[in-house]
Amino acid sequence: MRIVVLAGGIGGARFLRGLKSAAPDADITVIGNTGDDIHLFGLKVCPDLDTVMYTLGGGIHEEQGWGRTDESFAVKEELAAYGVGPDWFGLGDRDFATHIVRTQMMGAGYPLSAVTEALCARWQPGVRLLPMTDDRVETHVLIDDPEGDGRKAVHFQEYWVRLRASVPAHAVVPVGADQAKPAPGVLEAIAGADVVLFPPSNPVVSIGTILAVPGVREAIADAGIPVVGLSPIVGDAPVRGMADKVLAAVGVESTAAAVAQHYGSGLLDGWLVDTVDAGRVDAVEAAGIRCKAVPLMMTDTEATARMAAEALALAEEVRA
Ligand code: GDP
Ligand code: CA
């Protein structure tokens, strides 16, 4: 069974761990979001790709959900001593090495897809991890300008990490996406897949950004295979993070049903909502998307594997 998964960071990575456990023999290709990428201290940082790589490769800081385990922050402290910022993005010493290797390889002319493959040779994530594109895409968020009465665009990381999504987002723009090409292997993986899964990743800034790369949405919609997603919204709120803020920016309510309708029946064949949202099932089905309520909390690998198995079962149901 060939499975394609569109993944952001934590939600995507944790789901993938469950999927690998539920379908150990599956051939899994992950199309990772690179809209969160940022250049810091001259280094190219790819938070979502690294979260997937570290989580599946056994190097993740478990409680935090991102960054390396057993991390130290000597470089960060030394940079701060020089007064060199930004100080709001937590890069640890072990993590720095990843970004140094990546930046060095890219400087030597390797595309991000080749660099990601090289990094994965160390981590052996057990999936094929592809960036959505080798081209530069950066998600920006439009906020009120605190220094004037106009608005200004800030990098997604500045909105999310520095501002902690505490101010309203008026728009979310994946800058560069319209000019981007899918990375080598992305369209081929979709065309050759038996099923496409949307993990409980952020529908706007993770999966939405991947779908914004020209050709990806069309390839998935036209592949003629089941597309099944799992809701990141449980009980009308994100399980973690601030997805409600960016959903509001695109005019979508923070409910499990509204997210399914946002993807739409042209893209999505099946949708899983949490049991607390069982009352939303009818609304999703009325939108032409097969829907089931099952436990969707990724408390441990076993619970997550059950979610993945439910998603694969729903895929077979809609295929029939
Ligand atoms: P990010 O890039 O690190 O923000 O990660 P993703 O975009 O992959 O996933 C973020 C989403 O995961 C958030 O909107 C959360 O609501 C969702 N999420 C995190 N943990 C869980 C969980 O246990 N269950 C469900 N259903 N969603 C979760
Ligand atoms: Ca992310």
Side-chain angles (χ1 to χ4, degrees):
M1 163 110 89
R2 287 158 304 180
I3 306 172
V4 165
V5 180
L6 270 48
I10 302 178
R14 290 194 171 159
F15 174 76
L16 282 162
R17 197 150 58 178
L19 177 64
K20 277 176 64 185
S21 162
D25 300 326
D27 173 345
I28 301 170
T29 298
V30 179
I31 302 174
N33 172 41
T34 58
D36 294 11
D37 293 7
I38 185 166
H39 285 79
L40 294 168
F41 313 108
L43 301 175
K44 165 99 168 157
V45 180
C46 301
D48 286 0
L49 293 180
D50 289 349
T51 296
V52 170
M53 187 172 78
Y54 294 156
T55 301
L56 299 184
I60 199 78
H61 185 302
E62 281 296 337
E63 295 71 40
Q64 199 169 251
W66 53 271
R68 290 293 315 279
T69 186
D70 295 326
E71 193 54 289
S72 55
F73 291 90
V75 175
K76 188 175 194 250
E77 285 158 21
E78 291 295 315
L79 287 165
Y82 283 112
V84 173
D87 60 1
W88 45 264
F89 202 86
L91 290 180
D93 299 332
R94 292 178 188 278
D95 200 20
F96 258 113
T98 303
H99 313 315
I100 291 169
V101 174
R102 173 185 294 123
T103 307
Q104 193 174 33
M105 284 190 73
M106 291 184 77
Y110 290 95
L112 181 61
S113 50
V115 175
T116 304
E117 192 180 341
L119 295 172
C120 285
R122 172 185 173 194
W123 290 102
Q124 295 291 315
V127 300
R128 183 157 175 244
L129 177 60
L130 303 175
M132 65 189 198
T133 180
D134 279 335
D135 300 319
R136 186 163 167 171
V137 176
E138 269 184 22
T139 302
H140 282 72
V141 179
L142 196 64
I143 61 170
D144 291 324
D145 187 348
E147 269 132 48
D149 14 292
R151 287 177 174 179
K152 69 166 189 173
V154 294
H155 190 289
F156 169 73
Q157 298 295 355
E158 187 171 351
Y159 179 72
W160 202 253
V161 181
R162 185 174 80 80
L163 298 171
R164 311 224 56 86
S166 56
V167 297
H170 300 296
V172 178
V173 187
V175 179
D178 53 339
Q179 301 294 322
K181 290 177 298 298
V186 166
L187 296 181
E188 293 80 354
I190 295 168
D194 299 305
V195 55
V196 174
L197 299 179
F198 294 178
S201 281
N202 190 305
V204 181
V205 293
S206 293
I207 295 179
T209 308
I210 301 169
L211 293 171
V213 176
V216 172
R217 176 187 288 271
E218 298 74 6
I220 294 172
D222 298 345
I225 52 169
V227 180
V228 171
L230 300 92
S231 179
I233 303 293
V234 172
D236 300 347
V239 176
R240 63 183 280 168
M242 304 149 271
D244 48 333
K245 301 292 172 53
V246 286
L247 279 166
V250 297
V252 177
E253 264 182 39
S254 282
T255 68
V259 173
Q261 286 158 349
H262 172 63
Y263 286 129
S265 60
L267 191 61
L268 211 54
D269 303 301
W271 186 244
L272 294 177
V273 301
D274 189 84
T275 44
V276 303
D277 296 312
R280 304 281 186 190
V281 168
D282 288 349
V284 177
E285 296 237 318
I289 298 163
R290 190 79 64 87
C291 185
K292 245 183 110 175
V294 298
L296 287 190
M297 296 304 285
M298 299 190 283
T299 43
D300 53 40
T301 304
E302 290 67 43
T304 312
R306 283 193 291 275
M307 288 166 52
E310 289 284 2
L312 292 173
L314 188 58
E316 291 318 310
E317 226 180 284
V318 298
R319 196 197 305 278

